[in-house]
């Protein structure tokens, strides 16, 4: 029952549930401490990445282990803007250490907030489009595409670490002070930034929802089920894959920008291989192929990480590992798959065994 | 079949319960802290909560997992030992110190997150933590924003003095600058600079280059490798070609193992060419091998062999507590010092209030294992004795030179004319 409701966005129940969730998120500043609110804001930014990843992996069946790069590019765009504001016309501190005497040309446009926001979304989206153009059109797929995304991660992080004068190197970019003249550290600004993040998360959710429910989304799922068949019917899968990958990267860039506003630092370690894989884990654990599952996965896993590491600083990694094993072994479709399983079980009891074909591929 | 499904569901419920248990525990924490927050909002003393209970909470924030864990766990151990010793003597202001340990996980944003948690949720009186410059730079805005107090125990690249950080490791004029002068006098004029590619070696080498220009040295090569780089054959042949008299080594971590092993395999010994490292201490020697490193030099403020009565007790206690095979090293000692210095400042201030402790810490002196140290009120760095040591075959250092007396910290190198261009912007 419950699952059926979850599947039906038109259903009043479902709408009510979404509304309650949205209200709960918007009211969070009333019942969370500043610190917890800041953490939740960070998790919500992660949820936006998870939504984008779900679009490309859960629905289209293309596994990207390179979303850390798109996330990082968005993050660096925002970081550059904030750093320039904080430096107040002078050279950012790390450029001085590294021996630069003038601001590099590609830093200059980041004095403008509008440019920063555009770049933070469009640069990752464009990079994804280019990568997609060369891979999907040449029918590079499956594990080969995944390996290419890993290569992208290594290239980008090495470049960012190596070019210390331009990117801040391993330290990354930190030490921001103001956003639009407001102190970025004050609780008031943080609450506003949190609410902005909630709004963006909802917008991203609606966007993904509309995409997957549209004809476009149906083609994506068809590509997942049988790419060649889609091609024979007369669609060009490459175009759809490129667009989905690009939207997904744009969302990751948006999330990166929000992340920097909440956390106050971006460094190459956040766009590396480990975070890229972690992002995929959120989606896998939360429930691949369901948007709510992906978003919840990001929020729940990161909450668990924070709670475990605070409670058991010496042994928290074991708890995280146990959690992964439990979910993967007993819930191959993620937490959201629990509903499917319950329904499956019910149907079987009623004697409808095998009637419900598995809709999503196993993780 | 249906049994299997039930099994799955029940197991998932168990898992969920674990998560929820963690969450609710957490939620309780949140509510209690918010309520104390609301209660003490009007009161001037933000540490009212810890003062009432007869306990003082202090934060310890090091990487207990990830690549930096190997170095940082030892510092954490030393800090825990200092806290235990202080508690055994009756605590601070008659109250017991209660450490709150957090894992920075070798990840810079995690350091920022945990620092924020320690200050705003746990309301710790101070935090001891950090190792890499990156982790310090990530924590710095948090400490300044929430007016917290951080004790940072590692030698670093200078050019920083935050009002909310006490630096108990050396700044450049207490390690690198005197080492270069000593090398120029005793070992030769031709320098080759080799370092890992991040802020500390980059900044250190920038300083060294200025100093070489001013003091008559000659730069014959400069090379950076990414952190974790392990193939040094090309660089060693470049070194062979450049024929330096001194290799000044600012490599960090695993790279040192590879570099020194390959240097030895290439037929170089410490007699042929002097190397001086600033990130190789007793612990690293254990990893690289004393036979490989024997005869090479390092610059620090403390060695396990440093001859003071305080150090004898310190090394003895450390080994007794953590095992005979453990060694002490400069950052470990600096972490230990930090706890004692903070405790002394709190006693002097009669309060754990950050501003009062900072005021009381000015010009505070203490007999550390490395000898007398003093907090410089202006920069919040320590006066420290500089020591150059030579690695012996037993993995310990033999001191070959020291500065005689503690050197005044000068993070911006204001006292050096040749360094005027370095800190111009700041």
């Amino acid at each position: 029952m419950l699952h059926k409701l979850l599947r039906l966005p038109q259903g009043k129940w479902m709408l009510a549930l979404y509304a309650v969730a949205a209200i709960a998120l918007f009211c969070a500043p009333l019942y969370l401490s500043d610190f917890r609110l800041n953490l939740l804001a960070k998790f919500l930014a992660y949820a936006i990445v998870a939504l984008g990843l779900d679009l490309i992996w859960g629905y289209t069946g293309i596994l990207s282990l390179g979303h850390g790069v798109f996330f990082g590019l968005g993050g660096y765009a925002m970081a550059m803007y904030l750093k320039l504001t904080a430096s107040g016309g002078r050279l950012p501190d790390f450029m001085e250490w590294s021996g630069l005497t003038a601001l590099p040309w590609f830093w200059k446009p980041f004095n403008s907030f509008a440019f920063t926001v555009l770049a933070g979304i469009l640069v990752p989206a464009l990079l994804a489009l280019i990568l997609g153009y060369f891979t999907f059109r040449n029918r590079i797929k499956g594990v080969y595409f995944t390996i290419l995304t890993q290569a992208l991660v290594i290239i980008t992080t090495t470049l960012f670490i190596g070019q210390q004068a331009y990117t801040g190197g391993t330290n990354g970019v930190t030490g921001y002070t103001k956003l639009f003249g407001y102190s970025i550290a004050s609780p008031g600004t943080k609450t506003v930034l949190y609410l902005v993040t909630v709004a963006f998360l909802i917008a991203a959710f609606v966007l993904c929802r509309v995409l997957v429910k549209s004809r476009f989304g149906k083609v994506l799922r068809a590509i997942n089920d049988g790419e060649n068949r889609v091609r024979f019917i007369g669609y060009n899968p490459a175009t759809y894959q490129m667009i989905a990958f690009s939207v997904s990267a744009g969302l990751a860039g948006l999330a990166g920008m929000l992340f920097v506003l909440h956390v106050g630092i971006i460094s190459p370690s956040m766009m590396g291989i480990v975070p890229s894989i972690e992002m995929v884990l959120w989606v896998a654990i939360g429930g691949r192929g369901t948007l709510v599952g992906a978003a919840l996965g990001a929020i729940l896993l990161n909450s668990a990480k924070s709670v475990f590491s605070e409670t058991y600083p010496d042994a928290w990694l074991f708890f995280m590992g146990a959690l992964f094993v439990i979910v993967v072994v007993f819930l191959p479709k993620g937490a959201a798959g629990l509903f499917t399983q319950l329904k499956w079980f019910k149907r079987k009891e009623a004697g409808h065994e095998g009637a419900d074909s598995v809709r999503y591929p196993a993780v | 079949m249906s049994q299997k499904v039930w099994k799955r569901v029940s197991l998932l419920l168990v898992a969920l319960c674990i998560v929820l248990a963690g969450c609710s525990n957490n939620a309780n924490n949140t509510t209690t802290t918010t309520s104390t927050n609301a209660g003490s909002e009007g009161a001037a003393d933000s540490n009212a909560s810890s003062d009432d209970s007869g306990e003082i909470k202090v934060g310890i924030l090091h990487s207990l997992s990830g690549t930096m864990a190997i170095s940082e766990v030892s510092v954490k151990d030393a800090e825990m030992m200092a806290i235990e010793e202080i508690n055994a003597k009756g605590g601070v202001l008659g109250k017991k110190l209660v450490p709150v340990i957090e894992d920075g996980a070798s990840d810079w944003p995690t350091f920022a997150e945990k620092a924020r948690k320690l200050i705003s949720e746990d309301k710790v009186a101070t935090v001891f933590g950090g190792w890499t410059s990156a982790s310090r730079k990530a924590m710095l805005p948090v400490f300044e924003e929430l007016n917290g107090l951080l004790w940072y125990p590692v030698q670093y690249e200078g050019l920083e003095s935050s009002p909310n950080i006490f630096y108990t490791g050396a700044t450049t004029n207490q390690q690198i600058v005197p080492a270069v002068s000593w090398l120029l006098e005793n070992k030769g004029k031709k320098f080759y600079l080799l370092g890992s590619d991040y802020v500390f070696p980059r900044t250190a080498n920038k300083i060294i280059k200025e100093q070489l220009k001013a003091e008559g040295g000659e730069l014959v090569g400069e090379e950076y490798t990414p952190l974790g780089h392990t193939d040094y054959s090309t660089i060693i042949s470049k070194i062979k070609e450049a024929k330096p008299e001194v290799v000044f080594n600012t490599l960090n971590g695993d790279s040192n193992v590879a570099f020194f092993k390959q240097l030895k395999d290439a037929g170089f010994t410490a007699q042929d060419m002097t190397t001086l490292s600033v990130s190789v201490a007793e612990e690293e020697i254990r990893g690289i091998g004393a036979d490989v490193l024997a005869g090479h030099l390092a610059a620090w403020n403390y060695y396990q062999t440093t001859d003071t009565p305080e150090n004898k007790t310190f090394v003895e206690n450390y080994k007794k507590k953590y095992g005979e095979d453990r060694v002490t090293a400069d950052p470990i000692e600096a972490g230990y010092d930090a706890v004692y210095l903070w405790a002394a400042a709190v006693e002097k201030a009669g309060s754990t209030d950050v501003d009062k402790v900072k005021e009381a810490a000015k010009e505070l002196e203490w007999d550390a294992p490395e000898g007398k140290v003093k907090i410089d009120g202006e920069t919040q760095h320590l006066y420290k004795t500089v020591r150059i040591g030579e690695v012996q075959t037993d993995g310990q250092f033999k001191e070959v030179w020291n500065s005689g007396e503690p050197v005044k910290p000068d993070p911006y190198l204001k006292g050096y004319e040749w360094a005027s261009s370095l800190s111009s912007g700041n």
Side-chain angles (χ1 to χ4, degrees):
Chain A
M1 265 308 276
L2 192 60
H3 173 65
K4 256 195 178 153
L5 291 172
L6 274 173
R7 277 276 179 79
L8 295 172
Q10 303 93 337
K12 282 179 195 156
W13 278 105
M14 204 53 226
L15 267 181
L17 246 156
Y18 282 142
V20 168
I23 291 169
L25 283 177
F26 273 119
C27 294
L30 299 176
Y31 55 82
L32 284 181
S33 69
D34 287 344
F35 169 70
R36 294 290 160 202
L37 189 71
N38 186 242
L39 271 189
L40 182 61
K42 183 169 87 174
F43 300 160
L44 294 184
Y46 286 152
I48 297 179
V49 187
L51 285 175
L53 252 180
D54 199 27
L55 201 62
I56 182 87
W57 186 39
Y59 287 91
T60 324
I62 299 164
L63 176 59
S64 159
L65 290 181
H67 264 55
V69 168
F70 306 129
F71 180 79
L73 287 176
Y76 268 98
M78 183 55 80
M80 284 157 88
Y81 169 75
L82 291 172
K83 191 73 193 175
L84 286 177
T85 320
S87 309
R90 281 201 317 221
L91 264 191
D93 46 10
F94 63 85
M95 290 187 182
E96 257 168 39
W97 307 324
S98 315
L100 284 194
T101 48
L103 199 64
W105 59 269
F106 62 89
W107 269 74
K108 282 183 184 141
F110 286 93
N111 273 314
S112 142
F113 185 74
F115 177 86
T116 302
V117 172
L118 276 180
I121 297 173
L122 291 183
V123 169
L126 207 68
L127 180 66
L129 201 66
I130 295 169
L131 185 73
Y133 180 82
F134 287 111
T135 48
F136 299 134
R137 262 172 47 105
N138 293 320
R139 301 193 191 171
I140 295 172
K141 54 190 175 189
V143 68
Y144 302 102
F145 176 79
T146 308
I147 291 171
L148 274 176
T149 57
Q150 284 270 281
L152 177 73
V153 171
I154 296 178
I155 292 168
T156 319
T157 45
T158 313
L159 183 77
F160 272 70
I161 291 173
Q163 299 303 312
Q164 180 166 256
Y166 304 103
T167 61
T170 333
N171 279 11
V173 184
T174 182
Y176 320 130
T177 48
K178 282 189 157 53
L179 180 68
F180 302 138
Y182 296 100
S183 161
I184 200 163
S186 75
T189 318
K190 283 197 186 294
T191 308
V192 173
L193 286 176
Y194 167 81
L195 294 175
V196 168
T197 309
V198 176
F200 272 115
L201 176 63
I202 291 172
F205 185 81
V206 170
L207 171 76
C208 291
R209 190 92 209 171
V210 167
L211 278 180
V212 299
K213 289 290 159 192
S214 66
R215 228 171 75 102
F216 177 78
K218 290 203 177 89
V219 177
L220 291 187
R221 234 170 293 173
I223 292 172
N224 185 13
D225 290 340
E227 195 179 327
N228 277 331
R229 289 196 196 178
V230 175
R231 192 171 287 120
F232 296 147
I233 297 170
Y235 288 98
N236 183 4
T239 317
Y240 287 86
Q241 287 166 323
M242 270 155 57
I243 293 173
F245 191 44
S246 176
V247 169
S248 172
L251 285 176
L254 170 70
M257 286 197 284
L258 293 167
F259 171 88
V260 167
L261 288 171
H262 299 308
V263 179
I265 176 172
I266 185 85
S267 81
S269 66
M270 263 156 279
M271 51 202 296
I273 286 184
V274 175
S276 297
I277 292 175
E278 252 178 79
M279 288 167 188
V280 172
L281 272 178
W282 304 334
V283 180
I285 302 278
R288 180 185 164 199
T290 55
L291 292 174
V292 181
L296 275 181
I299 297 169
L300 288 180
L301 265 187
N302 282 294
S303 310
K305 188 173 166 182
S306 274
V307 170
F308 287 149
S309 68
E310 280 167 19
T311 328
Y312 313 99
D314 290 313
W316 65 277
L317 280 169
F318 296 103
F319 287 95
M320 286 306 284
L323 192 66
F324 289 154
V325 171
I326 289 171
V327 175
V328 170
V329 171
F330 296 103
L331 287 169
K333 276 168 237 144
L338 182 64
F339 295 112
T340 329
Q341 274 194 343
L342 281 174
K343 182 178 152 198
W344 180 57
F345 171 61
K346 264 196 178 156
R347 282 213 181 172
K348 256 213 282 195
E349 275 212 325
H352 287 284
E353 200 161 348
D356 186 22
S357 64
V358 179
R359 187 158 175 185
Y360 311 111
V363 176
Chain B
M1 262 319 248
S2 66
Q3 224 182 349
K4 203 174 161 193
V5 174
W6 274 118
K7 228 162 116 191
R8 285 181 176 189
V9 172
S10 52
L11 257 160
L12 178 88
L13 284 178
V14 172
L16 272 178
C17 286
I18 298 174
V19 174
L20 286 178
C23 286
S24 64
N25 173 24
N26 185 40
N28 284 340
N29 278 345
T30 321
T31 45
T32 43
T33 38
T34 29
S35 61
T36 41
N37 219 357
S40 61
E41 211 152 346
D45 191 2
S46 60
N47 293 296
S49 55
S50 50
D51 279 4
D52 295 340
S53 55
E55 287 178 346
I56 300 176
K57 283 199 219 168
V58 296
I60 291 191
L61 176 47
H62 287 290
S63 297
L64 309 179
S65 58
T67 50
M68 293 311 298
I70 185 167
S71 309
E72 292 192 52
V73 167
S74 307
V75 182
K76 183 208 81 174
D77 289 344
E79 287 161 359
M80 292 296 288
M81 187 170 102
I83 290 174
E84 271 175 41
E85 287 175 7
I86 290 171
N87 281 342
K89 282 181 223 146
V92 179
L93 298 175
K95 298 187 184 103
K96 284 245 173 306
L97 300 182
V98 181
V100 182
I101 303 172
E102 288 289 347
D103 180 10
S106 308
D107 181 49
W108 323 145
T110 306
F111 270 98
E113 176 196 320
K114 298 299 183 193
R116 188 177 289 282
K117 187 236 165 199
L118 284 171
I119 306 170
S120 59
E121 294 284 286
D122 297 321
K123 311 241 175 268
V124 296
T126 184
V127 177
F128 305 99
W131 178 292
T132 59
S133 287
S135 68
R136 189 191 66 251
K137 294 239 180 259
M139 290 189 283
L140 185 145
V142 178
F143 280 94
E144 292 191 352
E145 170 197 334
L146 302 171
N147 194 25
L149 197 57
L150 171 70
W151 295 76
Y152 173 75
V154 184
Q155 44 82 233
Y156 80 114
E157 70 278 0
L159 306 180
E160 187 183 295
S161 73
S162 163
N164 295 81
I165 303 181
F166 280 90
Y167 307 78
T168 60
T171 179
T172 42
N173 80 311
Q174 298 167 316
Q175 183 188 27
I176 290 167
V177 174
V180 170
S181 299
W182 183 85
L183 287 167
L184 284 170
E185 250 167 60
N186 297 288
K187 295 289 177 182
K189 305 280 180 202
K190 286 164 80 177
F191 272 58
Y192 195 99
L193 307 180
L194 173 63
S196 296
D197 199 357
Y198 73 107
V199 62
F200 169 66
R202 287 262 178 196
T203 315
N205 285 348
K206 211 176 132 188
I207 292 167
I208 294 170
K209 282 188 280 185
E210 291 296 323
Q211 192 182 357
L212 288 179
K213 257 188 252 165
E215 297 184 3
E218 186 193 342
L219 180 73
V220 296
E222 183 180 3
E223 213 52 72
Y224 297 94
T225 60
L227 277 168
H229 189 75
T230 51
D231 177 17
Y232 284 91
S233 48
T234 329
I235 287 184
I236 289 171
S237 30
K238 276 186 195 165
I239 292 177
K240 249 182 196 165
E241 212 155 282
K243 294 198 182 61
E245 288 160 306
V246 175
V247 173
F248 201 96
N249 169 28
T250 42
L251 290 175
N252 221 297
D254 300 349
S255 299
N256 276 309
V257 182
F259 172 67
F260 280 107
K261 285 202 166 139
Q262 288 164 25
L263 193 67
K264 194 186 179 205
D265 292 344
F268 279 107
T269 65
Q271 279 74 46
D272 306 330
M273 185 181 63
T274 306
T275 75
L276 185 136
S277 311
V278 288
S279 301
V280 174
E282 285 84 345
E283 284 225 77
E284 285 73 21
I285 298 176
R286 285 206 302 174
I288 300 168
D291 52 324
V292 176
L293 274 174
H296 290 286
L297 301 174
W300 290 104
N301 306 104
Y302 165 90
Y303 299 110
Q304 188 178 315
T305 52
T306 297
D307 190 20
T308 65
E310 288 81 12
N311 187 34
K312 224 174 149 196
T313 338
F314 171 61
V315 173
E316 227 166 65
N317 290 343
Y318 192 81
K319 282 183 181 275
K320 202 168 18 170
K321 194 163 164 51
Y322 298 111
E324 270 307 306
D325 57 328
R326 295 285 291 269
V327 291
T328 61
D330 187 291
I332 297 176
E333 189 256 357
Y336 180 80
D337 293 355
V339 179
Y340 271 97
L341 283 165
W342 171 79
V346 171
E347 289 286 0
K348 195 171 149 195
S351 157
T352 55
D353 180 79
V354 169
D355 296 321
K356 287 181 194 156
V357 171
K358 269 164 57 181
E359 196 51 44
K362 280 183 181 164
E363 315 303 322
L364 197 69
E365 286 187 15
W366 188 61
D367 286 314
E370 68 180 77
K372 197 173 269 311
V373 294
K374 186 169 100 176
I375 296 178
D376 178 41
E378 191 191 338
T379 60
Q380 304 195 157
H381 288 58
L382 292 187
Y383 282 73
K384 288 168 90 80
T385 308
V386 189
R387 298 187 156 89
I388 292 174
E390 189 185 295
V391 182
Q392 305 296 298
T393 42
D394 62 354
Q396 291 296 329
F397 283 97
K398 191 182 91 187
E399 191 177 296
V400 294
W401 176 84
N402 72 52
S403 59
E405 57 177 9
V407 175
K408 183 179 161 58
D410 185 4
Y412 293 101
L413 297 173
K414 284 179 191 147
Y416 301 83
E417 225 167 79
W418 49 262
S420 57
S421 66
L422 294 166
S423 52
S424 54
N426 281 300

